[in-house]
Amino acid sequence: MKKISCYLVLCLVFFGCKDNTQIIDPIPEHDTFTIASKAVNETRVITVWTPPEYKTSTTTFPVLYMPDGGIKEDFSHIANTLAELIKSKSISPIILVGIENTDRRRDLSGFSKVKEDEQYCPLTDGAKNFRAFITDELFPEINSRYRTNERKGIVGESLAGLFVVETMLLKPDTFNFYIAMDPSLWWNDMHLVKTASDKLAALNNKEIKFWFAGSNAKDISIATNTLDKLLKAEAPENLIWQYSDAPNEQHNTIFRATKDKAFKWTLQ
């Protein structure tokens, strides 16, 4: 992280990661409500999409949680994608819960000891509080409002992808499945990747599915390919995983380029 070229890539990662706004996704029918959170000390906007099967049955459904999940963020894009995949019977019906951002750089990054990282995100582990909001406040609220079952997962891109991977390694019981597109694993001198061996060894016997992808963004590609090699050598049997190396994709194209196969593999 000492080279100017790396900094230019990082600027793209943080400030260009939502550069898909030129594509206008139709806004699907959805619910919106707010939660006054003690964990993050602010009111958060939550957006929920339910599949057509939800209204025509009495069954329970798994839930996919999504940071960057506001109406003006990735919510509509992912809800429409899930709707098409469900319609074609490529995946089973699932509920989507989007969490609208207030300060994504604070919420999605963990602690860093690298001083230079401070120009992109706080170094103070805001992810810990954001994770507490999801597990202690949002989970119970969603379970009380909707017919959910015990199966749940999370999807994220870039910084949200970093949060996804960190959650899987630090708090693996939080979700059943994890999807990370171009996770910013260079954060804190690739600490998550460098310490992944110990974290993997500590995973319990619960089956976890993990799908991740890497674009041609150099700092991210180095980290995701390193993690791929580590998982090939050390992943426990209960971790079912898949890596999609996408060197022809850019950081701002990989979400749309890989989402279908990510969901099909993870939710089959």
Side-chain angles (χ1 to χ4, degrees):
M1 294 301 160
K2 299 277 176 102
K3 297 180 180 179
I4 294 177
S5 59
C6 291
Y7 287 144
L8 291 176
V9 171
L10 297 184
C11 287
L12 172 63
V13 167
F14 280 116
F15 301 109
C17 62
K18 312 317 294 175
D19 193 29
N20 293 324
T21 54
Q22 70 273 20
I23 301 175
I24 306 300
D25 294 290
I27 299 175
E29 183 179 348
H30 63 277
D31 302 330
T32 299
F33 61 89
T34 60
I35 297 181
S37 171
K38 294 182 180 179
V40 293
N41 195 31
E42 62 186 9
T43 297
R44 304 307 299 258
V45 176
I46 305 301
T47 308
V48 180
W49 175 84
T50 55
E53 292 83 353
Y54 187 88
K55 294 181 180 179
T56 60
S57 73
T58 58
T59 60
T60 59
F61 294 83
V63 182
L64 176 64
Y65 289 84
M66 182 176 63
D68 297 331
I71 288 295
K72 295 182 179 180
E73 297 166 324
D74 287 327
F75 178 82
S76 296
H77 169 208
I78 297 304
N80 292 330
T81 297
L82 294 175
E84 288 299 318
L85 292 173
I86 293 169
K87 183 179 179 180
S88 67
K89 300 188 183 303
S90 298
I91 65 172
S92 299
I94 191 168
I95 296 169
L96 176 67
V97 175
I99 308 167
E100 185 173 307
N101 284 318
T102 56
D103 185 345
R104 73 188 300 269
R105 291 182 289 172
R106 173 202 64 199
D107 288 344
L108 299 175
S109 59
F111 169 78
S112 177
K113 64 181 181 181
V114 180
K115 182 63 176 177
E116 290 88 348
D117 286 354
E118 193 170 20
Q119 60 189 301
Y120 308 108
C121 294
L123 307 180
T124 54
D125 197 6
K128 181 179 180 180
N129 294 334
F130 187 59
R131 191 158 32 244
F133 160 67
I134 293 174
T135 59
D136 300 343
E137 299 172 330
L138 184 54
F139 282 175
E141 188 69 20
I142 293 298
N143 291 338
S144 69
R145 287 174 177 261
Y146 298 92
R147 297 193 313 274
T148 64
N149 59 36
E150 294 183 353
R151 187 166 175 77
K152 53 187 176 290
I154 185 170
V155 59
E157 171 199 19
S158 190
L159 263 185
L162 173 70
F163 180 80
V164 168
V165 178
E166 181 185 77
T167 301
M168 185 193 72
L169 292 174
L170 299 186
K171 301 287 183 179
D173 286 340
T174 306
F175 297 98
N176 302 95
F177 56 93
Y178 298 80
I179 303 172
M181 281 82 165
D182 238 21
S184 301
L185 293 172
W186 54 263
W187 177 254
N188 192 21
D189 192 28
M190 284 177 52
H191 178 76
L192 280 179
V193 176
K194 291 178 178 180
T195 60
S197 292
D198 292 339
K199 303 296 189 301
L200 291 171
L203 288 181
N204 60 25
N205 293 324
K206 172 184 174 181
E207 182 178 287
I208 295 172
K209 296 191 78 172
F210 174 43
W211 189 98
F212 67 115
S215 73
N216 64 4
K218 183 177 180 181
D219 294 326
I220 292 177
S221 178
I222 291 172
T224 55
N225 279 286
T226 301
L227 181 59
D228 172 50
K229 293 177 182 178
L230 187 150
L231 290 173
K232 286 177 179 175
E234 302 184 30
E237 291 185 1
N238 59 300
L239 179 63
I240 302 169
W241 65 279
Q242 180 73 45
Y243 175 51
S244 178
D245 187 18
N248 294 325
E249 297 297 335
Q250 300 177 15
H251 186 69
N252 64 339
T253 66
I254 193 167
F255 205 170
R256 291 179 183 272
T258 60
K259 59 183 172 42
D260 282 28
K261 61 182 178 181
F263 291 138
K264 287 178 182 179
W265 182 86
T266 309
L267 302 176
Q268 63 184 357

